[in-house]
């Protein structure tokens, strides 16, 4: 279980408990946190779950796969700390994680 | 209690009483978007399956292979609905819409008043009226219950016959192989994916599946199913052969569940006709998802799409219309499929295309097929090629002309092609 704070582009914060094993994307979707669309449900096929990972957690969120890297390359407003939240698995290590969302996923 | 919608049917009203018929991906998402957008009125979600809204795509992929559990399929946890003042009525169907009274009659005999009605009744698997089609083990793959039945029939040494070489059939065949079962795909047309993909893609998938041990019978007429003690044991072909099987999956397309709308006098053409707000000709009735015949503004035509992105796009449209937000900009239709280690991503529709152009080499299982109309990309089918898919989608949406020569040259990056 990890407490994750999702920050919408306008600054609105949503802090929710997310079960270990779920993805950061699922944590948002299941709690109806706006700003993450996740059109493909986590298949790494759409790049509509783009988030910016708080630098303090960058080392704990795992490596990007080639597929994720490639999808992100064509998303809008990509930064070095951009990730597809469907590819970040939640563990106890991520307790306190903060992710910010881009203005739009489309 | 009704909201103020009664005086001005269909006008934006945060207090409107919204009844959604169909608790699939479209219906469930519409309820969620309404709450996200600040809708305060009651939401009643009616579903004929006994399950909270869930994702169907994994049923032929990750779920079937045992890589996803039931909880992960659910759109929202079960308690989300009560917590958000959404009344879920499961195992119930609507039998009649009384438009003048703005009321829905349910299979339980109960009636429900609405200010806004959303039809999200989806589509159902087309069945084959063949001898033996009612045998146990002859199945479709549409619902979680179907998927449970299919999964139980698969495993090492089992034989699956797939009737219909479409995406559902091919995904199921790939999952069957992953589970150690034998799979044969029977297709009436001379190639698989005949309705939905180009020849190049059909050839590629046939070769790839063959390499994974799937057997294909193309241009095959299926005459019926053989059985013993009520259980299917084989598929009988027009040439007289009987292919033995433990289960036969029939995946030959879907039919929109638009009968309720038709009976209510709503315009239906292979689905319920809606506009870009997902509204029917009745201002108090919307329709979303697989059941709709909808405008595709990029292609100047109406079409019925069967996809999750379509369900989500229209769920947003209806939620915006109900709460009075501007309609979201139209999206490029897109689709995906996972088979083995292949990720197929499709953007756009190949309508009016005059040229098919292959970028990359299919022999490497990393290539994309572009469908062009003049120098405009109409659609792209990308296998293990996210840049081609992502940039293709941008080019389609922006109607941006490209050089065919540069597009065909995979040594030039997609960003440079589109620059």
């Amino acid at each position: 279980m990890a407490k994750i704070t999702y920050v919408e582009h306008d600054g609105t914060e949503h802090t929710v408990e997310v079960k270990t094993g779920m993805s950061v994307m699922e944590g948002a979707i299941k709690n109806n946190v706006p700003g993450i669309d996740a059109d493909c449900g986590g298949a790494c096929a759409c790049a509509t779950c783009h988030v910016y990972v708080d630098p303090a957690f960058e080392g704990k969120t795992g490596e990007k796969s080639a597929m994720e890297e490639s999808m992100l390359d064509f998303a809008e407003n990509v930064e070095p700390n951009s990730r597809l939240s469907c590819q970040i698995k939640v563990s106890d290590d991520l307790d306190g994680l903060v992710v910010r969302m881009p203005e739009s996923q489309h | 209690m009704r909201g103020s919608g009664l005086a001005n049917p269909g006008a934006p009203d945060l207090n409107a009483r919204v009844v959604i018929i169909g608790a699939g991906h479209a219906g469930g998402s519409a309820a969620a978007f309404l709450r996200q957008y600040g809708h305060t009125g009651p939401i009643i979600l009616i579903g004929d399956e006994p399950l909270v809204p869930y994702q169907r795509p994994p049923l032929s992929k990750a779920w079937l292979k045992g890589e996803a559990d039931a909880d992960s399929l659910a759109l929202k946890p079960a308690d989300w609905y009560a917590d958000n003042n959404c009344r879920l009525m499961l195992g119930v169907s609507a039998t009649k819409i009384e438009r003048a009274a703005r009321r829905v009659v349910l299979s339980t005999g109960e009636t429900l008043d609405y200010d806004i009605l959303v039809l999200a009744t989806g589509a159902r698997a087309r069945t084959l009226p063949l001898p033996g089609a009612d045998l146990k083990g002859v199945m479709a793959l549409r619902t979680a219950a179907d998927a449970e039945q299919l999964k139980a029939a698969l495993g090492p040494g089992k034989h699956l016959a797939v009737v219909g070489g479409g995406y559902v059939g091919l995904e199921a065949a790939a999952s069957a192989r992953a589970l150690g079962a034998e799979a044969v795909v029977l297709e009436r047309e001379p190639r698989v994916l005949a309705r939905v993909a180009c020849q190049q893609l059909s050839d590629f998938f046939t070769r790839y599946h063959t390499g994974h041990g799937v057997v294909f019978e193309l241009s095959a007429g299926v005459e019926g199913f053989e059985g013993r003690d009520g259980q299917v044991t084989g598929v009988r072909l027009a040439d007289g052969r009987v292919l033995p099987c433990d289960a036969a999956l029939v995946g030959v397309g879907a039919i929109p569940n638009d009968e309720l709308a038709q009976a209510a006098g709503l315009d239906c053409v292979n689905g319920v006709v809606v506009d870009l707000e997902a509204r029917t000709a009745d201002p108090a009735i919307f329709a979303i998802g697989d059941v709709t015949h909808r405008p595709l503004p990029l292609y100047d035509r109406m079409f019925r799409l069967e996809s999750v992105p379509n369900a989500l796009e229209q769920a947003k449209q209806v939620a915006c219309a109900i709460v009075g937000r501007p309609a979201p900009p139209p999206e490029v239709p897109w689709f995906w499929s996972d088979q083995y280690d292949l990720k197929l991503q499709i953007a756009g529709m190949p309508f009016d295309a005059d040229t098919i152009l292959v970028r990359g080499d299919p022999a490497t299982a990393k290539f994309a097929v572009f469908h062009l109309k003049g120098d405009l990309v109409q659609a792209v089918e990308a296998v293990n090629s996210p840049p081609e898919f992502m940039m293709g989608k941008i080019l389609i949406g922006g109607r941006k002309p490209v050089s065919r020569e540069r597009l065909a040259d995979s040594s030039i990056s997609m960003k440079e092609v589109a620059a």
Side-chain angles (χ1 to χ4, degrees):
Chain A
M1 197 73 112
K3 194 170 274 186
I4 299 181
T5 301
Y6 300 84
V7 187
E8 287 186 68
H9 190 256
D10 67 6
T12 310
E13 292 190 5
H14 306 263
T15 300
V16 297
E17 298 268 353
V18 184
K19 266 197 271 181
T20 298
M22 276 184 151
S23 69
V24 171
M25 175 279 284
E26 286 177 287
I29 296 296
K30 308 242 180 215
N31 289 290
N32 214 21
V33 173
I36 290 181
D37 288 353
D39 287 1
C40 75
C44 198
C46 68
T48 63
C49 63
H50 177 196
V51 297
Y52 306 110
V53 172
D54 189 282
F57 283 85
E58 271 188 89
K60 296 181 179 171
T61 49
E63 292 292 314
K64 280 179 254 190
S65 68
M67 177 69 78
E68 180 184 352
E69 194 97 56
S70 197
M71 292 294 293
L72 267 174
D73 200 24
F74 291 86
E76 299 217 5
N77 303 313
V78 175
E79 302 289 341
N81 60 339
S82 287
R83 290 295 307 267
L84 294 181
S85 55
C86 72
Q87 301 301 306
I88 306 175
K89 281 267 174 265
V90 173
S91 63
D92 293 347
D93 278 358
L94 293 187
D95 192 38
L97 174 69
V98 178
V99 294
R100 294 181 174 77
M101 290 177 248
E103 186 168 7
S104 161
Q105 297 284 2
H106 285 263
Chain B
M1 279 296 286
R2 290 171 186 270
S4 55
L6 197 57
N8 188 7
D13 178 0
L14 291 176
N15 295 312
R17 181 181 159 89
V18 180
V19 173
I20 303 172
I21 305 177
H25 215 128
S29 299
F33 285 128
L34 278 167
R35 287 293 178 242
Q36 259 185 36
Y37 298 171
H39 189 74
T40 49
I43 298 173
I44 300 119
L45 193 50
I46 301 162
D48 56 4
E49 291 178 67
L51 300 169
V52 298
Y54 63 91
Q55 310 174 64
R56 297 188 198 279
L59 295 179
S60 51
K61 312 179 183 85
W63 186 89
L64 195 54
K65 288 189 282 179
E67 294 165 5
D69 61 14
D71 276 356
S72 74
L73 293 188
L75 291 185
K76 301 279 182 256
D79 54 8
W80 182 88
Y81 298 91
D83 291 349
N84 288 275
N85 189 23
C86 287
R87 184 176 168 206
L88 262 183
M89 300 180 74
L90 300 177
V92 176
S93 55
T95 56
K96 194 179 177 197
I97 302 166
E98 296 178 351
R99 286 168 58 189
R102 261 186 262 152
R103 191 163 60 195
V104 176
V105 182
L106 303 181
S107 52
T108 55
E110 195 179 342
T111 60
L112 285 175
D113 291 339
Y114 65 83
D115 295 319
I116 298 287
L117 180 65
V118 180
L119 302 173
T121 45
R124 61 182 177 276
R126 188 186 297 276
T127 55
L128 293 175
L130 294 174
D134 55 350
L135 286 165
K136 192 164 174 290
V138 178
M139 56 185 90
L141 179 48
R142 182 86 199 163
T143 64
D146 294 337
E148 293 275 5
Q149 197 192 347
L150 177 59
K151 196 175 189 176
L154 298 179
K158 297 282 189 182
H159 286 75
L160 173 69
V162 177
V163 180
Y167 284 118
V168 167
L170 291 183
E171 288 171 2
S175 299
R177 293 299 296 145
L179 293 168
E182 304 296 326
V184 55
V185 175
L186 311 164
E187 169 58 50
R188 183 181 61 180
E189 302 294 325
R191 62 185 179 99
V192 298
L193 303 174
R195 285 183 312 127
V196 289
C198 63
Q199 179 82 48
Q200 286 87 340
L201 208 64
S202 297
D203 293 345
F204 170 76
F205 275 103
T206 305
R207 277 198 311 273
Y208 209 83
H209 277 269
T210 303
H212 281 79
V214 175
V215 175
F216 287 89
E217 294 281 349
L218 303 176
S219 305
V222 172
E223 296 251 293
F225 301 94
E226 306 273 319
R228 193 172 49 239
D229 303 332
Q231 164 71 38
V232 71
T233 56
V235 182
R236 185 157 29 85
L237 301 185
D239 63 12
R241 284 182 295 154
V242 175
L243 304 178
C245 68
D246 301 295
L249 172 65
V250 179
V252 292
I255 302 168
N257 293 321
D258 62 1
E259 290 80 0
L260 198 61
Q262 282 185 37
L266 294 167
D267 193 13
C268 294
V269 183
N270 182 30
V272 185
V273 175
V274 294
D275 64 16
L276 279 175
E277 285 195 319
R279 202 185 296 260
T280 69
D282 182 331
I285 304 182
F286 294 77
I288 58 176
D290 287 8
V291 76
T292 64
H293 187 65
R294 54 158 290 173
L296 290 182
L298 280 169
Y299 301 94
D300 287 325
R301 72 189 69 208
M302 302 286 289
F303 202 73
R304 190 171 73 78
L305 297 172
E306 291 171 5
S307 72
V308 166
N310 174 61
L312 291 172
E313 182 187 17
Q314 291 185 303
K316 284 178 201 166
Q317 289 172 355
V318 72
C320 286
I322 292 171
V323 304
R325 283 193 180 195
E331 291 173 23
V332 176
W334 75 276
F335 313 85
W336 83 94
S337 177
D338 295 320
Q339 296 163 42
Y340 311 107
D341 53 350
L342 301 175
K343 182 170 295 295
L344 170 67
Q345 295 164 296
I346 301 173
M349 307 288 293
F351 294 129
D352 312 321
D354 52 54
T355 306
I356 288 178
L357 185 155
V358 179
R359 179 181 160 91
D361 181 4
T364 62
K366 186 175 161 64
F367 68 103
V369 182
F370 285 86
H371 299 254
L372 295 136
K373 176 187 175 189
D375 50 10
L376 293 178
V377 178
Q378 298 292 87
V380 57
E381 296 159 313
V383 176
N384 291 340
S385 300
E388 279 69 15
F389 167 72
M390 293 293 280
M391 190 51 91
K393 198 159 169 250
I394 293 167
L395 290 169
I396 296 164
R399 290 185 161 161
K400 189 165 188 263
V402 289
S403 151
R404 293 181 180 207
E405 291 71 30
R406 289 170 65 78
L407 187 59
D409 183 349
S410 56
S411 72
I412 303 174
S413 79
M414 282 306 291
K415 285 192 177 170
E416 290 173 284
V417 169

